[in-house]
Amino acid sequence: MPLVSRFEYYDSTTFHRDIERIERAYAAQGFYGAAVEDVHVETDAQRRLVNLDVTVREGERTTVGTLWLSGCDEGSTRVLEPDECADMRARLAPQIGGPFTESAFSTDRELLRAMIEDLGRAAASVRSRAMVDPETHRAHVVYVRDPGPESFFGAVTIGEGDGTRPNRGDNLPSGYPMRPVRSALALRAGMPFSRSTIAAAQRRVFDLGAFGIVRIVPTPARCRVGREGCGPAPMSRDGHVLDEWVEVALQVQLSPKALFFHRFGVGAETDQLRSSARASWRFEWRNAFGGMRRLTGEVRPQLFFPSLLGNLAGRFDPGVAASLELRHPELFPRWSFAGGMQF
């Protein structure tokens, strides 16, 4: 494997560290017995170059011997539903008998945490441990889940840029109205927390067509009854009032597009039969008549005339094509209306 992408000054101390990094890189891929067996250093004094030849013995690759997942295996204190366990196991990269890599091990820890968060636990954590037996070349993997308290959405703030200065008026600084944004978000304090709910809200705001970038940043905070800054105690999924929960404040960060966009172009072509010239003007008004209505139009005039490659005698036929479309994001709650015409 190449260690450098360009010529560098040779240093024996740095090279010995590179050898250690080579062995560590193999270990990260599951080759814990890998070792550098031979190093050959050849000096070319005339060209002032050093050629390095490193021989590595990989050894046997480590595979996953056992995989214990809390909530799904014997000894768990909080038992999950069988279909939830099957879904989690199917999405894990290290499968029993398959190759073990440290990158997949770390990625699966974050994947499990994200899956638990999507079940309404914003403060979820996953502790992981992998014990490698050097004699059998088997890794014994353990994932311990801590889902934390039930989680609910808290305050929702909306702002442009980094969102640190939330907008409290009826319009954003760019001139876009706030009401269609709030309607598209459809998020309110007290709703059960879910990552997929946030992702769906983000897509709906982006679909308004007024923003180039839409980010929703969640900030979880643990709450107890009577704690300052926390809202009223919510109801759990089984119907009782919670003593402890997680409240997730949402910061909506918007990067607005220009209120008006237009583009103009021209073109021409000719062949043995006829020639043509055409132009095109397309515009988009992203806040037409207020309310974030999107008015899109295009006009395409064209002219057909005798071929420039042949006889210029003949008819001149002008024409024009035009289209107009209006999208209304709030004709009905959380629905968009699009209407258009062409002539």
Side-chain angles (χ1 to χ4, degrees):
M1 64 179 67
L3 297 179
V4 294
S5 58
R6 63 183 184 279
F7 290 111
E8 295 184 358
Y9 289 108
Y10 172 74
D11 177 74
S12 59
T13 302
T14 302
F15 180 56
H16 284 299
R17 291 174 182 170
D18 287 340
I19 292 175
E20 295 176 357
R21 284 196 288 266
I22 290 174
E23 294 178 343
R24 184 68 195 95
Y26 274 93
Q29 296 301 313
F31 296 95
Y32 290 99
V36 174
E37 286 192 330
D38 184 50
V39 177
H40 181 64
V41 181
E42 181 182 347
T43 304
D44 186 339
Q46 185 176 1
R47 300 175 58 193
R48 301 178 64 186
L49 295 175
V50 176
N51 298 318
L52 306 174
D53 187 5
V54 180
T55 303
V56 180
R57 174 181 54 80
E58 292 183 348
E60 187 175 344
R61 189 170 199 173
T62 301
T63 58
V64 178
T66 60
L67 195 156
W68 189 87
L69 180 61
S70 67
C72 299
D73 293 316
E74 186 177 353
S76 302
T77 55
R78 298 179 180 179
V79 180
L80 298 176
E81 295 295 329
D83 57 341
E84 294 178 345
C85 291
D87 184 39
M88 288 184 179
R89 289 189 180 280
R91 296 173 64 179
L92 294 177
Q95 299 289 329
I96 295 178
F100 174 82
T101 64
E102 294 179 4
S103 60
F105 173 65
S106 300
T107 300
D108 280 350
R109 179 179 61 244
E110 296 305 311
L111 173 65
L112 286 172
R113 186 176 63 84
M115 294 178 68
I116 300 170
E117 286 182 352
D118 207 38
L119 295 175
R121 307 283 179 154
S125 63
V126 176
R127 301 190 307 276
S128 59
R129 184 171 68 252
M131 296 162 287
V132 178
D133 188 333
E135 295 184 358
T136 62
H137 303 285
R138 297 290 183 270
H140 304 282
V141 180
V142 175
Y143 292 108
V144 180
R145 304 162 49 259
D146 180 10
E150 291 188 44
S151 305
F152 302 85
F153 290 125
V156 181
T157 59
I158 303 172
E160 292 184 350
D162 60 6
T164 55
R165 300 175 65 181
N167 188 81
R168 304 187 186 281
D170 294 331
N171 293 295
L172 294 164
S174 59
Y176 288 110
M178 288 280 287
R179 181 176 173 180
V181 177
R182 294 194 185 98
S183 178
L185 284 171
L187 298 172
R188 65 180 187 278
M191 290 176 58
F193 170 83
S194 169
R195 285 280 183 184
S196 58
T197 301
I198 294 177
Q202 187 169 297
R203 284 194 300 270
R204 289 193 299 269
V205 175
F206 185 80
D207 289 342
L208 291 174
F211 307 103
I213 300 175
V214 178
R215 293 191 183 96
I216 301 179
V217 181
T219 304
R222 288 182 176 263
C223 287
R224 296 186 64 87
V225 175
R227 177 172 293 178
E228 185 178 356
C230 295
M235 299 285 290
S236 70
R237 287 176 171 78
D238 56 12
H240 70 275
V241 179
L242 295 170
D243 295 326
E244 184 181 9
W245 69 96
V246 173
E247 193 169 283
V248 184
L250 298 177
Q251 185 184 81
V252 182
Q253 303 174 358
L254 305 173
S255 179
K257 297 179 181 179
L259 289 172
F260 190 83
F261 161 85
H262 72 98
R263 181 174 57 196
F264 180 77
V266 295
E269 63 179 341
T270 186
D271 56 27
Q272 295 292 337
L273 299 177
R274 65 177 182 177
S275 301
S276 66
R278 59 187 177 276
S280 174
W281 179 57
R282 184 179 184 277
F283 71 90
E284 184 174 0
W285 187 10
R286 299 187 175 109
N287 192 33
F289 318 114
M292 212 173 287
R293 300 173 183 89
R294 190 163 38 155
L295 181 64
T296 305
E298 185 174 12
V299 180
R300 299 186 302 275
Q302 54 190 353
L303 175 65
F304 294 97
F305 52 92
S307 173
L308 298 176
L309 302 178
N311 186 3
L312 292 178
R315 293 177 52 188
F316 283 74
D317 295 322
V320 63
S323 63
L324 195 66
E325 181 182 81
L326 177 65
R327 289 183 174 270
H328 195 312
E330 283 196 302
L331 188 62
F332 301 104
R334 295 182 59 183
W335 288 79
S336 293
F337 168 76
M341 60 181 177
Q342 184 169 348
F343 57 90

